[in-house]
Amino acid sequence: MTIRISGTGSALPQRTVTNTELTELVDTSDQWIRERTGIGERRISTGETVAALAADACRQALNMAGKTASEVELILVATCTPELLLPCCGCQVQSMLGASQAAAFDLNAACAGFLFALDTVYAYLKAGIYRNALVVGSEVISKLVDWSDRSTCVLFGDGAGAVFVEAANEDVICENGRTAGVEALLQGADGSKGSVLSCQERPVQNPFLPEQPEACAGPYVHMDGREVYKFATRQVPACILAALEQAELTVEDVDLFLLHQANERIIAAAAKRLGAELDKFPMNLQRLGNMSSATIPVLLDELNRAGRIHKGDRLVLSGFGAGLTYGATVLVWG
Ligand code: COA
């Protein structure tokens, strides 16, 4: 048994915010942002919600797969920016789609969330618990950004991406001889580095505390950019190599590396460490910035719709995020 991604979709807010517009908010410049990150512009919600973006992306994925909402058995939404704490975003999406037969829940592994969700769905499908699932990464991270903090506000954007995944009972052998499906996956976390990238929300607070806590500083993303940079440039290539080793493959066996779109320099450094050509690392961060868990599925959808992914291509999806979390999945497109 293996899995097949039979549909992809993505949804972005209407509003584009350029680097030049950000210079009106904070002391920065288009040149600084481009040189240090590669980002030129991003989409920012002016009302689009995490749930609505997720549902739009799911509709497209279902459409491509030729499936109706009533056929969906599971909806797993990776997000760290849901509108509501209760109910979860997955249930909102289920209702918006009318996918009444689907179980639904959320998963938070920050920017690595989509990968963790895909791996989770792979395990469910492999165990025979469900036969298909919508896997989503959706974020409106702009609401967690302190728009007076130049070290973070220039990095992020909003958006959603989704894939429809189906269990395949029989092996699908591609023309190039490769068997379609997941070949290896690896997930990791280093909770001791949690403070390097964090966002406070709800400290313990009730009338029974011996002392009332100080007011929360604000639910904004706080980041030690250099530490995150060091972690990502070391951990992402190491994780990719370990996943490839699991599948008894080498870097040369990979057609495309779809990395979390946080920073062009991080991606270039990972490519260098792996000894791979940078043109195997497609990017859209120039247009979209870091959309957290949405970056990988949006990139996947863009490449798929542009005809840049073919049956038999071997892809490595890899990302990192707050936690700190990281992961890599090796799969053959079928
Ligand atoms: N515009 C202009 N100057 C800025 C700035 C901005 N938007 N943000 C920071 N600076 C300044 C800093 O204050 C610092 O000034 P100083 O030297 O006077 O103190 C200077 O630029 C250099 O800052 P530094 O943090 O060393 O820059 P950097 O080269 O490390 O780049 C990041 C900063 C954030 C782009 C980089 O560290 C990074 O990408 N880290 C990873 C972040 C990430 O991916 N987070 C999401 C994870 S999912």
Side-chain angles (χ1 to χ4, degrees):
M1 201 300 299
T2 188
I3 64 165
R4 185 173 162 256
I5 296 175
S6 53
T8 60
S10 53
L12 301 169
Q14 288 281 312
R15 175 78 155 91
T16 297
V17 174
T18 63
N19 289 345
T20 307
E21 281 183 272
L22 294 181
T23 64
E24 292 160 23
L25 297 177
V26 289
D27 182 13
T28 189
S29 66
D30 179 50
Q31 190 188 358
W32 191 97
I33 302 170
R34 281 182 196 274
E35 281 179 7
R36 301 289 175 120
T37 71
I39 298 166
E41 58 188 38
R42 72 286 292 143
R43 300 294 185 91
I44 298 294
S45 169
T46 53
E48 295 94 341
T49 62
V50 174
L53 290 167
D56 274 359
C58 285
R59 283 187 198 100
Q60 290 182 24
L62 284 176
N63 203 20
M64 187 186 285
K67 297 286 172 181
T68 61
S70 58
E71 293 174 86
V72 179
E73 297 189 3
L74 173 67
I75 299 171
L76 181 46
V77 178
T79 185
C80 55
T81 58
E83 274 76 43
L84 306 175
L85 283 179
L86 300 169
C88 70
C89 184
C91 287
Q92 290 180 280
V93 172
Q94 190 237 33
S95 167
M96 286 172 173
L97 295 176
S100 55
Q101 302 306 307
F105 65 98
D106 291 1
L107 177 157
N108 178 358
C111 301
F114 175 79
L115 277 185
F116 280 39
L118 185 64
D119 293 348
T120 303
V121 158
Y122 174 62
Y124 268 117
L125 267 51
K126 208 168 163 60
I129 298 169
Y130 299 108
R131 285 167 300 172
N132 69 51
L134 281 164
V135 189
V136 192
S138 184
E139 308 283 3
V140 176
I141 201 156
S142 57
K143 64 194 172 197
L144 301 189
V145 165
D146 176 354
W147 289 97
S148 65
D149 174 9
R150 68 178 182 174
S151 69
T152 52
C153 77
V154 301
L155 304 176
F156 297 102
D158 301 330
V163 297
F164 185 71
V165 186
E166 298 182 67
N169 290 327
E170 284 171 23
D171 279 355
V172 178
I173 312 292
C174 305
E175 269 179 25
N176 60 8
R178 291 176 182 163
T179 306
V182 172
E183 296 183 306
L185 59 87
L186 200 150
Q187 293 170 215
D190 183 355
S192 71
K193 293 205 173 68
S195 61
V196 167
L197 180 50
S198 64
C199 181
Q200 284 230 3
E201 174 72 315
R202 287 171 185 245
V204 177
Q205 204 164 9
N206 61 52
F208 309 105
L209 295 183
E211 273 178 52
Q212 288 304 307
E214 286 179 26
C216 171
Y220 297 124
V221 171
H222 174 82
M223 184 182 72
D224 181 339
R226 282 183 203 177
E227 276 303 313
V228 176
Y229 190 93
K230 273 196 284 182
F231 174 83
T233 50
R234 190 187 64 247
Q235 196 64 66
V236 169
C239 178
I240 291 173
L241 288 175
L244 287 173
E245 198 182 323
Q246 228 184 72
E248 296 178 2
L249 296 165
T250 66
V251 168
E252 286 72 40
D253 296 318
V254 179
D255 297 298
L256 285 178
F257 295 85
L258 275 64
L259 300 199
H260 173 46
Q261 303 286 295
N263 184 321
E264 198 174 276
R265 285 159 57 214
I266 293 177
I267 294 173
K272 197 170 167 198
R273 280 201 180 192
L274 290 168
E277 294 298 318
L278 193 56
D279 60 11
K280 284 189 172 181
F281 294 71
M283 290 184 230
N284 62 11
L285 61 86
Q286 296 85 352
R287 287 180 287 112
L288 300 175
N290 176 352
M291 299 179 293
S292 189
S293 69
T295 61
I296 291 174
V298 170
L299 183 62
L300 188 62
D301 181 50
E302 288 185 352
L303 295 169
N304 192 22
R305 283 172 195 273
R308 286 191 57 195
I309 305 179
H310 310 102
K311 279 186 197 270
D313 281 354
R314 180 172 286 118
L315 313 180
V316 168
L317 316 183
S318 180
F320 63 95
L324 296 169
T325 53
Y326 56 92
T329 302
V330 184
L331 60 90
V332 171
W333 197 255

